[in-house]
Amino acid sequence: MTKTTDVTPKKKGWRWGTNRWIVLGLIILGLFLLTDFFGAGLNIKPIRPFVQLPAEHWSEHPLFSTSFLGIGDFYLTNTLVALFIVMVLVIGLAFWFNRAVQNAFKKNDLALKGIPGALEALLEGLFNMTQATAGKWAWTIFPWFAAITLTVLLANWMELIPGVDSIGVIEEAHGTGYAVQPLTAGIATIAMPEVAEHGSHLIPYVRVVSTDLNFTVALAIIAVVAVQVIGVQAQGIGYFTKFWNVKTFFSKPIFGVIDWGVGLLELVSEFSKILSFAFRLFGNIFAGSVLLFVMGSLLGSIVIMPSIFYMLEFFVGAIQALVFGLLTMTFMAQATQGHGEHEEAH
Amino acid sequence: MEGNIVMAAKLIGAGLAMIGAIGAGAGIGIVTSGAVQAMGRNPDATGTIQTNMILGIAFAEAVAIYCLVVALLILFVVG
Amino acid sequence: MEQLGLNLGYLLVQIICFFIIFVVVRAWIVKPLRTMLEKRRAAISQSMEDARINAEARAAAEKEAAKIIAEAQAKAGQVVREASERAETAAKDIRAAAEAEAAKTRESALAEAEGERNRMLGDLRGQVAALAIAAAQKLVGEALDEKRQHALINEFFSGVKSGKVIILESADLAGTAAEVTSALPLTSDEQEIVKKDVLAKMGKQATVAFRVDPSILGGLIVKVGDKVLDGSVVAQLEGLRQSLK
């Protein structure tokens, strides 16, 4: 063997891949933390979650109190914090995207790279859906679709971030709680065992904004009102004949009355849209975060199991964001088309 | 003791309210089955079918959501 | 409502926040996206147009090339055809000339050979007559006078008796060409007689050819068209043999 003839094969990393070893290491770490692991582990038992419907307050005292419209005490809640984070993320993304597009224009390059490129691919897909459904009103409807989908998507995926819902202030529970175990100065944890009296529970700093009904109801109201606005834009004041249909009231003996009744039902269905919009998103994501907690506490010892539910929640979050946006878009597209009078609408 | 009976009734009521989700589940299953068959028969129309499928699922799911709302109201609001 | 966490204040804050998001998204995401999509569409339609023009140009060029090739092929074909026609004509001429030459040569050779044979047969005629007379004198024992003997012999060979062709006397001939065959060449006097007789039967325009065939032994065979007047000795002998049977 001489140096000139010996062709050494190109070095190819570790033969068995790297990701699987990372996963295995994390599983072992989980086993070490959550079980006694042949006597060596820390054997921390995951606690059961404290489920509360309204958002928790950050502070003891309200930010301000007003009697205006019966608002009362206004606290800074952990879902509001999450909303601000989402806002910052969306605005940051928008800024980044805008800058990337302007840079691309300057270089006369029509392809984006990295995260703006991914965002552009997503939005283009959404836009194609809008165009297929709404036709010439696509560019009027699309900003709503994009804004709602992006906001809800980022809000939903926040529940997958470690620390959201699990880092916060320890408060004394009213009912059963858990014992407090101080870790270091100023930092403590609550852990098993359960104590019936004078236990504590966690008030997280950040709670996913979709688990706050205020957020989902606000989005639903905005969506439904925007649908009406776009309907009026498209059809003028004639849009409201959809709800108060007396055109055929006298010309057709029985069916006219039925049409009028259908119009009233449409009005009711607009309100039920708010309800279903709001509770669909809220129910899915609230149930999702509770599911993650419960599965973590029940199956935490089988370390790999909760990660499957993380995947499920990732999927559910994306689907719910898409469904919220898609339904808004479809209702808007329907509103632009007349109620059985397509010639007038276009 | 009295309070516990009320609590139990609330829990049972919430559980019963969620029975309505059966219908939504079956409905979603039917919608998806139809959509998947349609996509299998006509793969070119996948985009339209998917959009309409999601819409149909959303409407079917709305029923389950009303059940969820009722259950939540029973659990957290009533009493 | 309190238990659900719904509060008008939070609701308003959420709505305001969403509108901030909406405005930002519309300004910084939807607008650039729209510009980008429109630019991209324009670029795509531009490149499609370019491609279409290119394709058209290429198609035109291909058509042109095909036309040129077809023309060249047609021209080449014509040249080849002309050349081969010319060559064929030349070959035909050469072959015809050669054939004519060969035919002439053969004809002249044949004529020469026939003339030679006739001359030799003519030379023989006198000797044959003398021999025949001598033989007959020996057999008959009495000598016919010399003149009569010759007349008999001549009659035998030429089939011409006292200035008349025997076989033509009772025949009627119609045609344009007659062929007269004799056992030995006829003298020019005899030929004149035969010719005159035949022409008298057939008309002035007819032609008369003379042939010599020793195998008929004597007499004349006159052939006009498909009609044969057989006055040959062979035919007479054959007739005699038939009647003797």
Side-chain angles (χ1 to χ4, degrees), chain A residues 278-325:
Chain A
F279 279 93
R280 178 182 301 117
L281 182 59
F282 167 76
N284 271 287
I285 304 307
F286 188 76
S289 49
V290 170
L291 178 83
L292 287 184
F293 263 129
V294 171
M295 286 304 154
S297 71
L298 290 181
L299 302 171
S301 304
I302 312 163
V303 176
I304 206 161
M305 290 304 283
S307 63
I308 292 166
F309 291 96
Y310 269 78
M311 286 180 208
L312 178 74
E313 283 312 305
F314 179 83
F315 179 69
V316 167
I319 287 287
Q320 289 308 317
L322 186 67
V323 163
F324 204 115

Side-chain angles (χ1 to χ4, degrees), chain A residues 51-53 129 133 272-273 275-276 278-284 286 319-320 322-323 326-327 329-331 334, chain B residues 47-48 50-66 68-70 72-73 75-77:
Chain A
V51 180
Q52 187 193 346
L53 208 53
M129 261 185 230
T133 315
S272 81
K273 267 179 203 169
L275 201 65
S276 65
F279 279 93
R280 178 182 301 117
L281 182 59
F282 167 76
N284 271 287
F286 188 76
I319 287 287
Q320 289 308 317
L322 186 67
V323 163
L326 196 64
L327 282 175
M329 184 269 281
T330 314
F331 291 144
Q334 280 171 358
Chain B
T48 327
Q50 238 163 16
T51 313
N52 287 320
M53 181 190 80
I54 290 172
L55 276 179
I57 287 174
F59 288 126
E61 203 190 19
V63 177
I65 287 159
Y66 299 144
L68 178 77
V69 170
V70 171
L72 289 174
L73 287 173
L75 277 182
F76 296 106
V77 178

Side-chain angles (χ1 to χ4, degrees), chain B:
Chain B
M1 194 62 201
E2 202 178 305
N4 284 347
I5 289 171
V6 170
M7 187 68 198
K10 275 166 77 176
L11 291 174
I12 292 168
L16 287 176
M18 285 311 289
I19 290 174
I22 292 172
I28 290 168
I30 292 166
V31 167
T32 313
S33 134
V36 168
Q37 279 185 12
M39 283 187 239
R41 281 169 207 270
N42 186 1
D44 289 343
T46 300
T48 327
I49 293 168
Q50 238 163 16
T51 313
N52 287 320
M53 181 190 80
I54 290 172
L55 276 179
I57 287 174
F59 288 126
E61 203 190 19
V63 177
I65 287 159
Y66 299 144
C67 297
L68 178 77
V69 170
V70 171
L72 289 174
L73 287 173
I74 291 170
L75 277 182
F76 296 106
V77 178
V78 176

Side-chain angles (χ1 to χ4, degrees), chain C residues 169-184:
Chain C
E169 270 172 7
S170 61
D172 55 306
L173 298 168
T176 53
E179 192 184 73
V180 179
T181 307
S182 57
L184 289 169

Side-chain angles (χ1 to χ4, degrees), chain C residues 3 5 7 15 22 28 52 70 78 90 114 116 121 143 147 163 210 221 225 229 236 245:
Chain C
Q3 281 89 346
N7 180 297
I15 289 173
F22 175 73
W28 281 353
R52 196 179 60 78
Q78 204 180 335
E114 192 153 325
E116 184 70 13
L121 287 172
K147 205 176 166 190
F210 294 95
I221 298 172
L229 299 172
Q236 284 165 14
K245 261 189 187 169

Side-chain angles (χ1 to χ4, degrees), chain A residues 53 83 98 110 120 123-124 214, chain C residues 4-5 7 14 29 32 40:
Chain A
L53 208 53
L83 179 70
N98 186 37
L110 292 178
E120 194 249 332
L123 291 171
E124 210 184 319
N214 290 310
Chain C
L4 284 174
N7 180 297
Q14 305 271 12
I29 292 186
R40 204 176 286 165

